[in-house]
Amino acid sequence: MLRLLSFAVTVSAIAVAVGNELESPVNVAAAGKPIDVEGVGYAAPFYADFDGDGIHDLLVGEFYKGRMRIYPNQGTNTEPKFAEYVYFQNGAETGRVPTG
């Protein structure tokens, strides 16, 4: 089954690969609070192992200021528990993709 992770305030969702069908959507929280992106929205979520520990993390691209949030998964791949986000860094600065 594929599980859709939906954001409380945005209309974006991601599919978690656990088969070839969709399960019902679920709200996604981080650090005990619903995830809400800053600015106008247009969140671009992605669920993948970002830090190489074998556990999928939640990455959320923001149209606003072109940043990417990283929500580390402190749970498991089947029962994720996302921590507070940090922004993707480009050296010592927050990485950005220019927006039009």
Side-chain angles (χ1 to χ4, degrees):
M1 292 278 180
L2 291 176
R3 175 170 295 226
L4 287 178
L5 301 178
S6 60
F7 292 89
V9 179
T10 69
V11 294
S12 298
I14 62 173
V16 178
V18 289
N20 61 358
E21 295 182 23
L22 295 176
E23 289 185 3
S24 298
V26 295
N27 286 330
V28 179
K33 299 176 285 195
I35 294 175
D36 184 14
V37 296
E38 186 177 354
V40 297
Y42 302 112
F46 187 71
Y47 188 60
D49 181 11
F50 183 76
D51 54 12
D53 64 359
I55 300 172
H56 288 79
D57 306 296
L58 180 61
L59 313 175
V60 180
E62 296 179 334
F63 177 77
Y64 180 72
K65 296 187 180 180
R67 302 176 294 196
M68 183 176 72
R69 293 180 180 197
I70 303 166
Y71 294 88
N73 184 355
Q74 297 176 332
T76 66
N77 287 333
T78 55
E79 292 186 35
K81 182 178 179 183
F82 300 111
E84 184 66 37
Y85 72 88
V86 294
Y87 282 112
F88 175 76
Q89 298 290 302
N90 179 16
E93 304 215 9
T94 299
R96 296 182 190 275
V97 175
T99 58

